[in-house]
Amino acid sequence: MKSIIDIFSPLKSDLITNNAVLYKTALLKRDILSFLIIQNKGTIAELSQATKTSIPKINETINELITEGLVIDHGKILNGVGRKPNIYGLNPNSAYFLSVEVNRHNINIAILNFVEEIVHIERDIPFYLQNTPACFESLCHHIDTFIEKHANDRHKIVSIGLNLTGRVDHVSGNSYSYFNFHSTPLREVLTQRFGVPGYVENDTRAMAFGEYAKGVVENEKNILFINLDDGIGMGIIINGALYSGKSGFAGEFGHMPFLNNDIICHCGKKGCLETEASGVALTLQMKEALLKGISSSITEKVNSIDDIKLQHIISAAKNDDILAIELLSKAGEKIGKGIAILLNLFNPELVILGGKIATTESIILLPILSSINKFSLNLVNTDTSFKISTLGEDAGLIGSSLLMRNRLLDLS
Ligand SMILES: [Zn+2]
């Protein structure tokens, strides 16, 4: 079977003029797949109409796509009268994507098939993110181990996508905040290390795209996705497309300097939203409160105060722990004030709250909404809906895989 990369290589070729026929065929195949991605299935007549191509040409190209293993024939439509056409759809197993999400304290790795179903996944692999070559090697080792475990599907993996916190430029393939010590862009390092095309993306942008294409989004096209986790990030979708800014630095909501404090943020500046409202800040605040003698059920769950992580605070809040709820509520007020500024700037149709803190649902949502009501113009905030992510912790892995598929097929 031909690799999907070979089938679509004429689309990327610099020698398009010398390969006009190959280019046109690859373009038509791309259009057919893109129709099947959006519509899920289609008949020859529908594909002919959608691509403005003759029925015989569509027939011929569909047969090629079937031989190449990208499309499957589902047989004839069962209902209706008259001559029944065959229905065609994507072959879920024609290509696999390896998605890796690196968080500050764990990593998640998954293999997804061509229709974005998770085939294999390992969540919460313990990891401590540092910007060192040893840490990068350890990450690669985890990926190797995961691939070896699922070696049967290895030859079908067509690309590897890495979601990283901080400033990431998917176009140049550079990550500026982590693993930025190689002489070539991180994307190239991944490509060479794993032998398939590599992609890098900001973690929150990948989550935002996952929610947009497969999650909570219905018909909205202008969306802000707020990632409330150890850090605070934002994914921006404008007219249905992910917005990254000139060099991939857009969306650093957590570093908006509107707090009047002297706490130094990990970015080096003072007064960032993250210094008081992020998961890292909440963890510090919880430790300080316990050291002052304020009680919380959390102390029954850990051996020492030093062991407290964001997840403990979230679990405690869900179990009605007053201190955890109070800390989340104060963080929510500050996040809400920040979102009020965003509403005035972007006037989005939808704001999605994702990340670990968003799993506390009303505990975080209510103080956020109350603060938005207080700080934004009523006309503006009633124009926007607020939803909690439905893909939860899988949003980034699904988003990364979708972005890889789109970039492979040159779809926007
Ligand atoms: Zn900062």
Side-chain angles (χ1 to χ4, degrees), residues 167 252 254-257 264-275:
R167 289 160 178 83
E252 291 291 351
H255 299 287
M256 263 169 52
I264 305 280
C265 180
H266 64 93
C267 72
K269 307 287 181 192
K270 285 181 188 172
C272 296
L273 181 60
E274 281 202 13
T275 60

Side-chain angles (χ1 to χ4, degrees), residues 182-337:
H182 301 96
S183 54
T184 49
L186 184 58
R187 184 181 62 194
E188 304 306 322
V189 176
L190 289 173
T191 303
Q192 282 170 19
R193 180 72 165 69
F194 295 99
V196 289
Y199 293 95
V200 289
E201 186 52 276
N202 168 271
D203 55 354
T204 304
R205 271 202 289 276
M207 292 167 88
F209 198 72
E211 282 295 341
Y212 173 66
K214 289 269 174 177
V216 76
V217 177
E218 290 170 15
N219 299 312
E220 299 90 349
K221 300 281 178 211
N222 295 295
I223 300 153
L224 299 179
F225 177 92
I226 312 290
N227 184 14
L228 303 173
D229 215 287
D230 280 327
I232 300 176
M234 174 167 69
I236 306 164
I237 291 173
I238 297 178
N239 291 330
L242 211 48
Y243 177 78
S244 306
K246 173 178 169 275
S247 308
F249 305 160
E252 291 291 351
F253 177 46
H255 299 287
M256 263 169 52
F258 73 77
L259 297 175
N260 191 17
N261 68 30
D262 279 328
I263 308 170
I264 305 280
C265 180
H266 64 93
C267 72
K269 307 287 181 192
K270 285 181 188 172
C272 296
L273 181 60
E274 281 202 13
T275 60
E276 291 188 29
S278 64
V280 168
L282 279 168
T283 311
L284 285 172
Q285 290 159 8
M286 174 57 83
K287 288 177 183 175
E288 279 168 15
L290 293 175
L291 287 170
K292 278 185 197 160
I294 303 173
S295 62
S296 161
S297 59
I298 259 186
T299 47
E300 296 158 21
K301 308 284 178 195
V302 290
N303 293 326
S304 127
I305 287 181
D306 291 339
D307 294 340
I308 293 174
K309 299 211 161 50
L310 175 60
Q311 195 54 53
H312 295 120
I313 300 170
I314 289 166
S315 303
K318 286 177 181 172
N319 287 307
D320 298 329
D321 182 86
I322 292 173
L323 177 57
I325 292 172
E326 274 176 5
L327 292 178
L328 280 162
S329 180
K330 282 183 191 156
E333 283 170 27
K334 285 155 196 158
I335 295 163
K337 189 173 179 183

Side-chain angles (χ1 to χ4, degrees), residues 55 62 80 108 131 138 151 183 200 245 260 291 316 334 349 353 384:
I55 297 268
I62 276 283
N108 303 314
N131 190 26
S138 150
S183 54
V200 289
N260 191 17
L291 287 170
K334 285 155 196 158
E349 294 167 89
L353 302 179
T384 302

Side-chain angles (χ1 to χ4, degrees), residues 142-154:
H142 281 298
I143 299 171
D144 283 336
T145 309
F146 181 86
I147 294 175
E148 271 161 33
K149 247 192 206 171
H150 308 291
N152 289 347
D153 301 322
R154 183 177 192 141

